[in-house]
Amino acid sequence: MAADRIRGLDGIRAIAILGVFYTHFVDGNSLLGDLAVRTFFVLSAFLITGNLVALRDAKRLSHLAALRSFYERRALRLLPTYFAMLLALVAIGLVTIRDGLFYHLAFLSNIWFAMGVDWNPWVLAHTWTLSVEWQFYLVWPLIVLSCANRWVARAAAGAIAIALAFWLGCYVTGYFTDNTVLWPPFSLDALGVGALTFFFSGMLARPTKIHLVGAILPAALWCAFQLADTDSHHQSLVVAFLLQILPLLPIAILIAVTASGTNPVVDRILGARPLAYLGRISYGCYLYHLPILWLMMQILWRVFDYPLKGGIIQLIVVAIPTIAFSALSWEFIERPIQKWRTGSRQKAQTRFTA
């Protein structure tokens, strides 16, 4: 199981989850959380596209068998911990039918929050990204498994175009609220870039001057636009769009370079054991961090009469138990399930070749 992982990509996951922690625990106005989510989307689409292409090209698998294999793998990886967390929140009364329980069960959290005027229930506010992922899974495997690579790449480019069209629609109509970006089309650009990164990873990973223009310049502009003074709604919308779109190429280049293993410095930094391990348990860290924030707030208030507020103290107090609980979840729930799945697949392959 460890052999098919690229430790540097786990390092990217680790940096992304630290960005989420910083935004949710220290500075709610920071865009590091948004950047982290975009990174997760690009990386997910990159890896999922590669896995689907491998399944499609496996001659021993039919189209239906490949589709079933993909969904089984995704379901066993993501669903047990997600539903366990959700049922625990229901059991203690933090999530009810009135709070959109059926939306969250059906991976429609992004729709629930997009239609709402606030982030209620806030302990599930982060699950909108998981819903977008699952909605992507409903469509993308059918495209990849049914089409040649050139058509898949065109579909990815089309996904990017759809996202740009929705941003243009917001600009023309002037309709744009804080929750607008939760609708699936607004994430298609990051997912499309991730898929294209798989097909053009060789070019993106090649050490040329394109890295200077393609990575450093957009990153610098992203930092500059955070300081932009927007005195009109349309200017604000343009800046919001640029802050969403500018990081995608640098992220794609970083993922391509890391996956290729051609840069020893990047491999050494991102593949460091502590960083790689944090990336390995990053799904649990992302899934549990807001419920554990609620738990620590309750403990500190009821036991120590201390109101836990955003800042470095909150980061320390919540991040440490989140990482610890995620490590336990990985060792005793997620990893055993993956081992069981791997063993079952090997037995099935043995029966097939016997």
Side-chain angles (χ1 to χ4, degrees):
M1 181 171 57
D4 63 358
R5 299 188 71 95
I6 299 174
R7 282 174 54 181
L9 296 182
D10 280 333
I12 294 176
R13 292 187 182 96
I15 294 173
I17 198 62
L18 291 175
V20 172
F21 282 178
Y22 181 82
T23 297
H24 287 172
F25 298 153
V26 179
D27 181 7
N29 294 320
S30 171
L31 290 176
L32 290 179
D34 288 340
L35 181 61
V37 167
R38 306 287 277 175
T39 301
F40 280 129
F41 282 158
V42 175
L43 181 56
S44 177
F46 170 78
L47 294 172
I48 290 302
T49 302
N51 290 337
L52 289 168
V53 168
L55 285 172
R56 185 198 63 198
D57 295 343
K59 296 182 179 179
R60 68 178 183 277
L61 291 178
S62 66
H63 180 95
L64 185 59
L67 197 63
R68 184 174 65 248
S69 175
F70 170 78
Y71 283 123
E72 285 177 354
R73 183 170 183 173
R74 288 288 84 198
L76 288 173
R77 176 66 186 97
L78 302 178
L79 297 189
T81 47
Y82 175 81
F83 284 129
M85 178 205 68
L86 189 57
L87 292 177
L89 295 177
V90 171
I92 61 179
L94 284 181
V95 180
T96 65
I97 293 177
R98 188 175 299 177
D99 298 321
L101 174 60
F102 293 117
Y103 281 84
H104 304 305
L105 287 170
F107 283 95
L108 295 172
S109 298
N110 61 322
I111 307 300
W112 171 259
F113 290 120
M115 294 188 304
V117 295
D118 55 18
W119 292 91
N120 180 51
W122 67 266
V123 290
L124 290 178
H126 59 308
T127 59
W128 75 268
T129 62
L130 304 179
S131 296
V132 169
E133 289 264 8
W134 272 104
Q135 291 154 24
F136 176 66
Y137 295 159
L138 292 178
V139 178
W140 193 242
L142 301 176
I143 296 175
V144 178
L145 294 176
S146 304
C147 303
N149 284 349
R150 65 180 182 276
W151 289 106
V152 177
R154 290 172 182 173
I160 298 172
I162 290 173
L164 297 180
F166 271 80
W167 276 102
L168 180 61
C170 289
Y171 181 83
V172 171
T173 62
Y175 177 79
F176 184 79
T177 63
D178 291 340
N179 290 355
T180 299
V181 294
L182 304 186
W183 292 98
F186 289 91
S187 296
L188 287 178
D189 52 351
L191 294 167
V193 166
L196 287 178
T197 302
F198 170 77
F199 293 112
F200 296 98
S201 57
M203 182 185 71
L204 292 172
R206 197 174 301 140
T208 62
K209 294 181 180 179
I210 190 175
H211 288 180
L212 295 176
V213 178
I216 297 177
L217 181 59
L221 289 174
W222 185 82
C223 294
F225 275 113
Q226 289 192 65
L227 305 175
D229 184 15
T230 56
D231 30 353
S232 75
H233 177 77
H234 277 73
Q235 286 179 338
S236 176
L237 182 57
V238 170
V239 170
F241 165 73
L242 291 173
L243 289 174
Q244 293 284 327
I245 204 75
L246 280 173
L248 295 182
L249 184 55
I251 292 170
I253 292 175
L254 179 61
I255 291 173
V257 170
T258 304
S260 69
T262 56
N263 191 310
V265 176
V266 171
D267 294 344
R268 192 176 302 114
I269 295 174
L270 294 179
R273 288 188 179 275
L275 207 59
Y277 185 77
L278 179 59
R280 187 168 299 179
I281 64 172
S282 60
Y283 174 61
C285 289
Y286 187 80
L287 194 61
Y288 305 132
H289 77 283
L290 288 188
I292 290 180
L293 170 60
W294 174 87
L295 178 63
M296 297 308 297
M297 291 173 68
Q298 297 300 311
I299 292 175
L300 291 178
W301 176 252
R302 296 175 184 272
V303 178
F304 301 102
D305 196 26
Y306 178 80
L308 187 61
K309 298 180 180 180
I312 297 300
I313 293 179
Q314 180 169 278
L315 175 64
I316 296 172
V317 168
V318 182
I320 291 176
T322 297
I323 293 172
F325 189 79
S326 300
L328 292 174
S329 175
W330 167 256
E331 295 296 337
F332 295 106
I333 301 177
E334 299 165 61
R335 190 178 185 186
I337 289 175
Q338 289 199 42
K339 284 185 175 180
W340 172 80
R341 175 183 55 80
T342 302
S344 300
R345 185 174 57 194
Q346 289 175 346
K347 289 180 181 179
Q349 291 175 350
T350 302
R351 290 196 300 268
F352 180 82
T353 57

